[in-house]
Amino acid sequence: MTLFHFGNCLALAYFPYLIVYKNSKLSEYNSFWPCVKAGGVYMLTQLCKMIILATFFPTYEVPVGKLDLHGELMKGAVELFDLIGIFVIISQQIGRGDLKILVAGVGWAMAELVSMRLLPLWVGARGIEFSWQYIQLSFEANISLAHHIIMAVLIWMWTRNNIEKSVLPLIISLLLLCSSKQTLLELIRTMFHVSSFGVLGINMVVTLLAGLVTTQLYINLCIQDNAWGNPKYH
């Protein structure tokens, strides 16, 4: 029974990544190793973030149940390094724009899945008692995949030379929202005592809304490229 529960959680967490890889240009262009390299950039970025947090932002003793506002704000600021890491992946990847986006988004999300969620699933989901915590962890992995693809699309659009100036503030605002989303969710959870599934629902809604806006911006840019006779970026 415990292995069955573990298998369900693992399938729920990992199958969407496999489906995206197999049914996108990643499989068509044999982009497995570029995704692995993107995962390497993720690991390096997380190492830099940990060093910066440990060096420049010391931790403080906070009573249980209280909000460490200073610590959360510092973590939110350091999360901006994720944007730099994804930018590096996109700028170094050769190929069409959509391929760059998928390599950066899927590679980054997969590295996060393996490093942050595989061990808790392996240790916890095989426990004697059933827990919804690991089902929730699997759903978070799916939301994370969409989240990082959205960030990759926004960063790719920000790097474009022909992007309309009026759209840039919206793109930057969405990037800041995406990079600080986990900090905002933690603030909401602590300040309003929202349950873990409530936070998961808020996370899903915010990601969905950001995805809809980002998709519309991407479609408009593709239409603009077609009008200018520049379809190679789609």
Side-chain angles (χ1 to χ4, degrees), residues 14-32 35 102 106 110 145:
Y14 279 84
F15 273 16
Y17 289 76
L18 182 61
I19 292 171
V20 169
Y21 184 88
K22 288 294 185 181
N23 294 278
S24 67
K25 285 185 169 62
L26 291 174
S27 178
E28 180 182 344
Y29 286 91
N30 194 23
S31 300
F32 176 77
C35 288
L102 287 170
V106 175
M110 179 60 77
L145 175 61

Side-chain angles (χ1 to χ4, degrees), residues 122-140:
W122 174 255
V123 174
R126 292 166 56 247
I128 297 176
E129 295 183 358
F130 172 83
S131 175
W132 284 103
Q133 174 185 353
Y134 305 105
I135 298 291
Q136 178 185 336
L137 198 66
S138 301
F139 279 121
E140 287 177 353

